[in-house]
Amino acid sequence: DGGITQSPKYLFRKEGQNVTLSCEQNLNHDAMYWYRQDPGQGLRLIYYSQIVNDFQKGDIAEGYSVSREKKESFPLTVTSAQKNPTAFYLCASNPSGYTGELFFGEGSRLTVL
Amino acid sequence: GDSVTQMEGPVTLSEEAFLTINCTYTATGYPSLFWYVQYPGEGLQLLLKATKADDKGSNKGFEATYRKETTSFHLEKGSVQVSDSAVYFCPSGLTGGGNKLTFGTGTQLKVEL
């Protein structure tokens, strides 16, 4: 089955540690996205990538980093510089980056202790 | 730029009640319009979409019609079930140039027996 796989589903980390969330898709989509969701708030765009080896900052990129070395993979690193990293993280993809329809993964819930 | 105004929640209904969640848009052109649904603890799923005026999107008993004259894309269902309890999003976004959909807080729907 084609889809987007995020891992891990749940992650606990101590303050000051970097953590990397995995996002893999086998849909052959060009564009991939990372959103953050907090309770009672909407989704906020962290980073997006329209093509391999290229990515752009979203609205809340500070404290995060990404890479896009392969078309199917778009990992997100939450660094120690992110002041409030506890959140639900959602990865999404889109065939071309121009049609509007996003396909989402199941999400990763990060809790920083 | 394009924008969408979505009805705030929470909305609480009894099972078999009629559902309407309002969504109105402003746009210089005719963007594609979407409804996404997020069940508890999961990622978002595309519920339905419409790509041009007068199009009706439908799925799982939900419908929404792209109405140019009222600039609306209201979500409706004739008879809701407890399993429809979720958060519903009507995102705004560009139809080109990065395809950065903006998701508000969504409308939380709770259906009770």
Side-chain angles (χ1 to χ4, degrees):
Chain A
D1 286 338
I4 299 180
T5 302
Q6 288 188 240
S7 62
K9 191 169 177 67
Y10 298 96
L11 186 60
F12 297 87
R13 280 294 181 268
K14 293 182 179 179
E15 272 191 33
Q17 289 182 329
N18 291 356
V19 59
T20 296
L21 306 180
S22 170
C23 178
E24 303 279 329
Q25 55 100 357
N26 59 4
L27 300 168
N28 200 34
H29 287 176
D30 285 322
M32 297 185 75
Y33 307 78
W34 275 106
Y35 287 88
R36 169 182 171 142
Q37 186 177 32
D38 294 284
Q41 297 194 33
L43 279 67
R44 292 183 287 170
L45 183 64
I46 305 172
Y47 269 98
Y48 67 103
S49 167
Q50 289 185 270
I51 196 168
V52 175
N53 293 323
D54 188 41
F55 49 83
Q56 287 77 41
K57 293 181 179 180
D59 300 318
I60 56 164
E62 186 175 351
Y64 299 97
S65 66
V66 293
S67 63
R68 187 81 188 278
E69 297 176 0
K70 298 185 295 182
K71 187 176 185 178
E72 58 270 24
S73 179
F74 191 43
L76 174 74
T77 296
V78 184
T79 75
S80 57
Q82 167 51 231
K83 296 180 180 178
N84 187 18
T86 295
F88 189 51
Y89 291 88
L90 288 160
C91 180
S93 71
N94 173 271
S96 66
Y98 291 93
T99 64
E101 181 176 346
L102 294 181
F103 295 77
F104 283 85
E106 290 292 304
S108 293
R109 186 168 298 281
L110 171 63
T111 302
V112 175
L113 306 172
Chain B
D2 296 355
S3 67
V4 166
T5 301
Q6 182 178 346
M7 183 173 93
E8 290 190 13
V11 174
T12 303
L13 295 174
S14 299
E15 200 169 46
E16 300 183 0
F18 184 85
L19 168 72
T20 300
I21 301 178
N22 292 339
C23 175
T24 57
Y25 68 91
T26 57
T28 52
Y30 298 100
S32 295
L33 299 175
F34 308 89
W35 277 101
Y36 285 81
V37 59
Q38 184 179 31
Y39 298 102
E42 298 183 9
L44 278 71
Q45 304 172 25
L46 179 69
L47 181 60
L48 53 83
K49 67 178 181 182
T51 57
K52 61 183 186 296
D54 299 326
D55 262 4
K56 176 186 282 188
S58 61
N59 186 25
K60 300 182 181 181
F62 291 89
E63 293 183 341
T65 301
Y66 191 151
R67 300 198 185 280
K68 186 178 86 172
E69 63 277 12
T70 55
T71 63
S72 66
F73 193 54
H74 304 325
L75 182 68
E76 298 180 335
K77 186 172 185 182
S79 176
V80 293
Q81 305 299 312
V82 172
S83 58
D84 293 326
S85 298
V87 181
Y88 294 83
F89 295 88
C90 178
S92 64
L94 303 171
T95 52
N99 189 31
K100 294 179 291 179
L101 287 183
T102 299
F103 293 82
T105 55
T107 302
Q108 183 171 11
L109 170 66
K110 183 177 179 182
V111 180
E112 301 175 331
L113 289 171

